[in-house]
Amino acid sequence: MEMIVLFTMLFGLLFLGAPVAISLGLSSIVTIAFFSSDSMSSIALQLFTAAQNYTLLAIPFFVLASVFMSTGGVAKRLIRFAIAAVGHFRGGLAMASVLSCMLFAALSGSSPATVVAIGTIAIAGMRQVGYSKEFAAGIIANAGTLGILIPPSIVMVVYSAATDVSVGRMFLAGVIPGLIAGVMLMVTIYIFARFRGLPAEPWRGFGEILEGGKQAGWGLFLIIIILGGIYGGVFTPTEAASVAAVYSFFVALFIYRDMGPMKDIAWVLETDSRQARIGFSALVYAVSFFFVWMILSFFATDGVESIYAGFRARALMGLVMALAIAVAYTLWRGENARIGQLPGYIAASLPIWGRNFKLMGRNFFRAFFNEETRKATIDAARTTIMLMFIIVNALLFAHVLTSERIPQVITDLMVGAGFNWFTFLIAVNILLLIGGQFMEPSGLLLIVAPVVFPIAMELGVDPIHLGIIMIVNMEIGMITPPIGLNLFVTSGITGMSLVQVVKAAMPFVAVLFLFLIIVTYVPIISTWLPYAMMGPEITTR
C-alpha cells in the first residue's frame, strides 16, 4: 500500500508539472504522515542529516569552479590546442570540437556549460570552413554530454551522495569510458568526413601544439590539481572542489583576465622591448615549471619516506631544472644570446613584472566585488540551491524507501520473475532511457538510484559499474526529446528550431547507444582503473 501511494503521488505530481524537489518531498511526507509507521519527527531528522552530508559540500565548489572556467577565453584556448592536435585529419575541425568538449568537461563537470562554452565558438568556426550548420550542431550537442561522464562530474557527486559510493572511485571510473566515448564520436566524424569530403585543417607542426598547450596550460592544470590531489592522497574530493573553485577564480581574473576589473589587459605590451619579452617569458616558464614540479612531486611522494621526497630535496631539483629551462629558452629566442646574458634578460623583464604586480595589487579587492564576479557567484549559487533542494528531498524519499523496505519488495518480485543481472541491466537501461526524455539528469538519478541500487547489489552488479551505466543513460537523455537539456541549449546558441537540432543530433545518438551497450556489458571498462588504484568498493546489503 505504501509503495503504491508513494509512487502514485510522485509521478502524479511530476506529470502535473510540479518541480522535482517538491514532488519528492511532498510524496514522502504524505506517505510518512498517513500510511507509514514511521514518526513525523523522522522528516526533520532526515532533512537535518541530509544537510550535514559531507560529500554534498563538493557540489557548490565544483559549480563555482565551472562558472569561472566557462569564460570564452578558456574555451578559445582549449579549441586552439585541440585544432593543433587533430585538426589536420579530414573532418579535423569537427574532431577538434569533440576533443575540446572532452577537455572542457574535465574542467567544468557540467554538460550544458560545455555546450555553451565550446559550442558558441566551435559551431561558428565549422560554419566558416564549409560544414553545414546541422552537422556542427549535432556534433556539439552530443559531445557536450561528455561533461557529466568525464571527471570531475557533478552528476557523479550526486550519485555518490544518493548511494554512499566513493566519489574518488566514481571519478576514476569515468576516465576510460569518457575517452572511449570521445574516440567513438571522432571516428564516426572521420567516416562521415571521408564520405562527404569534409575539409581538413593544414598541419601547423608540433610548435603549434606546444603553443596551444602553453596557452591552455593554466586551465588544463586544474585537471591535474583535482585528480592528482585526490589520488595522491593530498585531499578529499570535497577539498579538491574547494581548491578548484579558488584556482579557477584566480586564473580567470588574474592570469587569463577574461573577466573582472583587469579584463583584456595584456601582461606584455607592444611597447616592451624584445629583450624584456624574452626575459619575461623565460622567467614565466621557469617559475611555472617549478610550481608544477613541486605540486606533482608532492602528489607522487606523499607518504614516501626518503631523503629525496623531502621539501628541500624536491625544491633543489626543481630549481635546477627551472634554471635550465630559463637558460634554454633565452638561448633559443635571444639573438646570439649566451648563458651569461641570462641575468640581463631577466633584469630587462622586471618592469613588466612590476607593472603587472602593481595592477593586480590595485585591483585585488575590486576583483572580489566586480560585477562579473558577482554575476558568476550568483549564477553558481542559484544552481547550487536548485541541486541541493532536489538532493535533500531525494534523500528523504530514499529514507521512505528504506524504512518501508520497498527495494526489497521489488527485488523479491524481480528475482521471482526470473530476472538476473543481465536482464536487470536491460530493464534499468530502458527505464532510464525513457525517464531521461522527460527529466533533468540529477533529478532522475536521485529518484531511480535509491530504488535500483539495492536490487543491483542483490543481483551482484558492481556499484561503480552501475553508476557509470546510469550516467551514460543520463547522457543520452540529454540529447533525446522532448526535454533533452542539450537540445535546448544547442538550439539557443545556434538559432535553430528544436526539431532541426533533434534531426542533426540523431546520427550521433546512435553512437552513444552503441557505447551504452558496450559499457553495460563490459564492466571492466568502468571498474579496472578505480579498483587498480583504490581497491574494490565495499558495500553492505
Side-chain angles (χ1 to χ4, degrees), residues 364-376:
F364 181 78
F365 290 105
R366 289 178 59 201
F368 287 89
F369 303 101
N370 179 264
E371 181 60 30
E372 289 183 299
T373 306
R374 177 178 172 275
K375 183 180 182 301

Side-chain angles (χ1 to χ4, degrees), residues 123-137:
I123 291 175
M126 284 188 276
R127 292 283 291 128
Q128 288 177 359
V129 297
Y131 291 82
S132 69
K133 194 174 187 179
E134 290 74 15
F135 186 77

